[in-house]
Amino acid sequence: SGIEGQTGLFVRGGGNDQNLVLLDGLPVYKPDHIFGFFSTFDINAVKNIKLIKGGFPARFGGRLSSVIDVEMKAGDVEQPSRGFSLGPLITKAYISGGLGKFTYHFSGRRTLFDLLIAPFINKNADNNLAFYFGDANVKLEYDVNKNDRLVFTGYYGRDRYDQTRIQPQN
């Protein structure tokens, strides 16, 4: 059971906080945005997702329900790609490619809700409301030789929720 309309994974009766979420092997502690309505993971940045529901190795330690292992996309020297999407709620962009032994993948997204409602907010009202989220993913890889590879994975996320109540002057 969960709350309808929100992200969360409840495996075998466990709680949402009993799952281990990994991004390229690194733990993600709050895998959602804006009160749980949007996932942390941008589909433009995800290559593969593996869900382990039971019998997971001890190296994942201390989790009762599951392990969710998310692998980010890497760039491709032979097939560079890019994309842009402008929607009423979220704007997304990505670019992927490589040069020789070096590959890259960058992606980012941001909600536009705060910008869309700005003209309709009364600046002199008792309440001001602003919220948005944005995140960016980067994966850089360098093939040192046929057996060794250097990989840099980065994630940046920001959520902003601001409700300002203006105190009346006496």
Side-chain angles (χ1 to χ4, degrees):
S1 66
I3 300 172
E4 190 171 325
Q6 291 192 359
T7 59
L9 186 63
F10 301 89
V11 179
R12 297 183 183 191
N16 189 33
D17 62 338
Q18 294 173 339
N19 301 304
L20 174 61
V21 180
L22 300 171
L23 179 62
D24 277 351
L26 303 169
V28 176
Y29 294 107
K30 181 101 171 81
D32 56 42
H33 288 294
I34 306 288
F35 316 116
F37 289 109
F38 295 95
S39 172
T40 294
F41 305 110
D42 180 3
I43 195 67
N44 292 324
V46 174
K47 176 182 179 182
N48 189 27
I49 299 175
K50 183 170 30 170
L51 171 65
I52 306 170
K53 298 186 294 185
F56 37 86
R59 72 175 185 261
F60 295 126
R63 300 302 172 158
L64 299 174
S65 292
S66 69
V67 175
I68 300 127
D69 191 5
V70 179
E71 181 184 357
M72 285 182 56
K73 287 181 183 175
D76 189 347
V77 175
E78 296 177 12
Q79 292 183 338
S81 61
R82 63 185 182 274
F84 178 78
S85 170
L86 178 64
L89 293 179
I90 299 176
T91 297
K92 301 179 186 183
Y94 74 92
I95 186 167
S96 184
L99 297 165
K101 294 182 172 187
F102 174 74
T103 62
Y104 60 86
H105 181 88
F106 299 99
S107 66
R109 64 185 176 161
R110 187 189 191 284
T111 56
L112 300 176
F113 187 74
D114 59 324
L115 302 175
L116 294 173
I117 66 168
F120 304 105
I121 294 177
N122 183 355
K123 300 295 183 194
N124 297 321
D126 289 343
N127 265 328
N128 286 329
L129 176 65
F131 62 89
Y132 70 88
F133 80 84
D135 53 30
N137 295 281
V138 60
K139 187 166 188 175
L140 307 173
E141 292 187 359
Y142 179 74
D143 289 331
V144 178
N145 57 42
K146 71 176 191 170
N147 295 323
D148 298 313
R149 181 173 34 155
L150 293 173
V151 178
F152 173 80
T153 298
Y155 169 78
Y156 172 79
R158 176 167 183 176
D159 285 76
R160 177 168 182 236
Y161 173 75
D162 186 18
Q163 182 177 9
T164 307
R165 187 150 190 83
I166 301 170
Q167 298 296 326
Q169 301 278 335
N170 286 340

